[in-house]
Amino acid sequence: MMIRTLKLALGAPLILAAALVAGPCRVSFAQGDADLEAPGLESFGASVGGGTTLFQNVRIFDGRSSTLSAPSNVLVKGGNIERISVSPIPVDANANVRTIAAGGRVLMPGLIDAHWHAFMAATPQMVLMTADPNYLQLLAARQAEATLMRGFTTVRDLGGPVFGLKRAIDEGVTIGPRIYPSGAFISQTSGHGDFRFSFEVPRVTGGPLSHSEVEGIAAIADSPDEVRLRAREQLRQGASQIKLMAGGGVASPYNPIESTQYTEPEIRAAVEAADNWGTYVTVHAYTPRAIRQALAAGVKCIEHGQLIDEPTAKLLADNGIWWSLQPLLDDEDAPPLVNPVSQQKALEVFAGTDNAYKLAKKYNAKTAFGTDILFDARLTTRQGAILAKMVRWYTPAETLKMATADNGALMALSGFINPYPGKLGVVEEGAIADLLLVDGNPLENIKLVADPDRNFLVIMKGGTIYKNIVTK
């Protein structure tokens, strides 16, 4: 069967043009005269390639060390780092190699946000609950591009309908970070993920799904069998890990933050389903009781935990459990909450953040960095600034290690269903070429990451350059 190729300019009426072509066709996009560093939207079903790039004279933060390397050269070929050398790296004069004269600037791994919501981060909650889903997906795509341009080349998405967005990014249809999707977060009735309208209660077994379930934001499940079913549904759609709500939350008005949610057998059902797929379950939990129940059920990662006590923090560390902790404080980055009940619960969380980080450091817990931004476009622009405030508890080197190599290790916990197999969060030979060229030394001035427009001169993901403003 002959397959025709239909070439369109970006912005052309795709549906109408495609309808004029008889038989199967492949669609590609012409970019016109735009001078784009990234290949752009090349074709449906085709990954964006990276070509070959040589960074000359860079000081490297490798994602692990507390100091920079000697002046070095880094060769990127395809989507990976091929060679790192303090000596000049020869390249074929006839080869198409992009050379970036870095002038001693710092080359570091792309940043990783381990607790992100690509579908919900920038959109007000009421809009999410009432707007047309197609409109919401367009907003999410626009925000995905902005996320990448802030230097966050990978995010672990912990709740929301992002499978289509992930596919579009992976295929080069739109621009954004790598997404490790959870799909819908799984919640018990009255749990932190139960955002049903009042007219959607009571729930009828076998009845129609609620609005948030139809949209793929949440999946309400009661009993081990239902939890197992909902977990398997997310895995079927491409989840790289499963997210459960194991305790009360701030934004949900129908459950106290002190509540423990699900039973151990219910959580274990999700753990077993995930383990059979080679991956893991992470849970939303603030309190010691909720955390301990999740650990007993085999959970491998805890989200939040600001209300933890010292014995439970030690238990996390002793068992090698990941602790995805966010620097939630009562400051300029506090989330907008109009509900007075939620506002009060937020103050409890803010009050516990300092103690949680102190305990994480004391027991050397496997701590991941994430922002957990919800419902506020202004806060998304603060993603790097939120990372920078981690120096309240950690050195700049420790902070950047957490947001690069450490978070990269957490991404690899997805096992054989890892959507991006390879080393993330490090600058070393063979690693995935997600790289930032920084105008300054972030190990000395962590605030550089708070202003990516000015300080990130090159943003590369998978060997493809999406931003390059290096001037000689």
Side-chain angles (χ1 to χ4, degrees), residues 60-65 74-76 79-85 107-109 405 422-435:
I60 299 171
F61 167 65
D62 62 7
R64 298 191 179 98
S65 304
V74 177
L75 182 65
V76 173
N80 298 92
I81 299 172
E82 183 170 276
R83 186 177 175 189
I84 300 174
S85 175
L107 190 71
M108 63 173 285
K423 287 188 176 181
L424 284 171
V426 293
V427 181
E428 63 181 52
E429 292 181 357
I432 295 174
D434 291 358
L435 301 168

Side-chain angles (χ1 to χ4, degrees), residues 259-278:
S259 63
T260 300
Q261 298 175 11
Y262 279 125
T263 62
E264 187 177 324
E266 287 173 316
I267 298 174
R268 188 178 297 113
V271 169
E272 290 170 351
D275 186 64
N276 286 341
W277 251 246

Side-chain angles (χ1 to χ4, degrees), residues 386-397 399 442 445-447:
I386 293 171
L387 174 60
K389 75 169 61 175
M390 292 289 291
V391 294
R392 176 168 174 165
W393 304 281
Y394 298 90
T395 68
T399 295
N445 180 14
I446 190 66
K447 291 183 179 180

Side-chain angles (χ1 to χ4, degrees), residues 242-258:
I242 297 298
K243 165 79 173 298
L244 254 67
M245 300 304 195
V250 171
S252 49
Y254 302 115
N255 55 94
I257 200 166
E258 298 85 359

Side-chain angles (χ1 to χ4, degrees), residues 92-228:
D92 186 346
N94 297 319
N96 184 19
V97 179
R98 177 191 289 106
T99 299
I100 296 177
R105 296 182 176 98
V106 173
L107 190 71
M108 63 173 285
L111 299 170
I112 301 173
D113 193 324
H115 193 124
W116 187 248
H117 295 277
F119 186 72
M120 298 183 283
T123 305
Q125 187 172 0
M126 186 54 64
V127 176
L128 284 168
M129 296 172 68
T130 59
D132 184 284
N134 298 311
Y135 170 72
L136 296 176
Q137 289 291 352
L138 289 171
L139 293 182
R142 184 67 176 267
Q143 183 57 224
E145 180 176 356
T147 302
L148 178 62
M149 300 313 290
R150 289 191 290 269
F152 285 85
T153 53
T154 298
V155 298
R156 188 176 60 139
D157 192 280
L158 290 184
V162 297
F163 296 117
L165 177 61
K166 176 188 180 299
R167 177 179 176 179
I169 292 170
D170 291 347
E171 293 180 355
V173 177
T174 192
I175 292 172
R178 304 175 189 280
I179 296 178
Y180 280 78
S182 302
F185 42 69
I186 301 172
S187 169
Q188 69 172 48
T189 294
S190 77
H192 180 49
D194 185 351
F195 286 97
R196 290 176 295 172
F197 295 103
S198 59
F199 58 81
E200 295 177 307
V201 179
R203 176 190 183 211
V204 178
T205 302
L209 297 175
S210 65
H211 177 74
S212 61
E213 291 177 285
V214 170
E215 298 306 319
I217 297 171
I220 299 173
D222 297 288
S223 81
D225 286 344
E226 280 199 323
V227 170
R228 186 179 295 109

